[in-house]
Amino acid sequence: MLDMVKARLQSFGYEIEDGDETILNFCIQKVESSIKNDCNVSSIPDGLVCIAVDMAVGEFLTAKKTFSPDSIAGLDLDYAVKQIQTGDTNTVFATGEGSQTAEQRLTAFISYLLTYGKGEFACYRRIRW
């Protein structure tokens, strides 16, 4: 999963730095534990891998934003999705329209990465006895 997370970060214009791998591994373990506990499974189901990757990227970007904001200054959020509509759920980002600051766009994007797809956990949830 580490390679998938690195590739996803690079797709957003982030260049992996020395020391990032330790943080990435922690973020991946945190997300895996969260999904395993929420679904009561021993491994991440194949259908949740992409969601887990995005959640790990969101955790990583949150840590970077908090502790080293200069290292993510080069992220290009102009290519982020403006609108996603699935059924009755609608997510809109005002990216590139000047209505939000770069920090507000980054915060909205991180929030999206951390929360999108959590509804799909129910498909893989097992009952605890």
Side-chain angles (χ1 to χ4, degrees), residues 12-26:
F12 298 133
Y14 180 81
E15 293 300 321
I16 305 298
E17 301 172 351
D18 292 338
D20 282 349
E21 197 161 313
T22 303
I23 300 167
L24 285 171
N25 282 323
F26 177 79

Side-chain angles (χ1 to χ4, degrees), residues 80-93 112 116:
V81 177
K82 181 180 186 305
Q83 182 172 357
I84 298 173
Q85 185 161 355
T86 306
D88 61 349
T89 304
N90 192 17
T91 305
V92 178
F93 298 102
Y112 165 78
Y116 181 77

Side-chain angles (χ1 to χ4, degrees), residues 26-85:
F26 177 79
C27 292
I28 291 168
Q29 288 176 352
K30 182 177 178 182
V31 167
E32 285 179 345
S33 293
S34 176
I35 292 173
K36 288 176 189 178
N37 290 335
D38 196 359
C39 295
N40 192 30
V41 294
S42 59
S43 64
I44 303 292
D46 290 339
L48 296 180
V49 170
C50 290
I51 293 169
V53 167
D54 276 355
M55 289 175 71
V57 168
E59 290 287 346
F60 176 79
L61 291 176
T62 300
K64 281 293 194 173
K65 180 182 173 195
T66 303
F67 298 109
S68 182
D70 293 337
S71 67
I72 58 172
L75 282 180
D76 188 5
L77 296 178
D78 289 334
Y79 294 108
V81 177
K82 181 180 186 305
Q83 182 172 357
I84 298 173
Q85 185 161 355

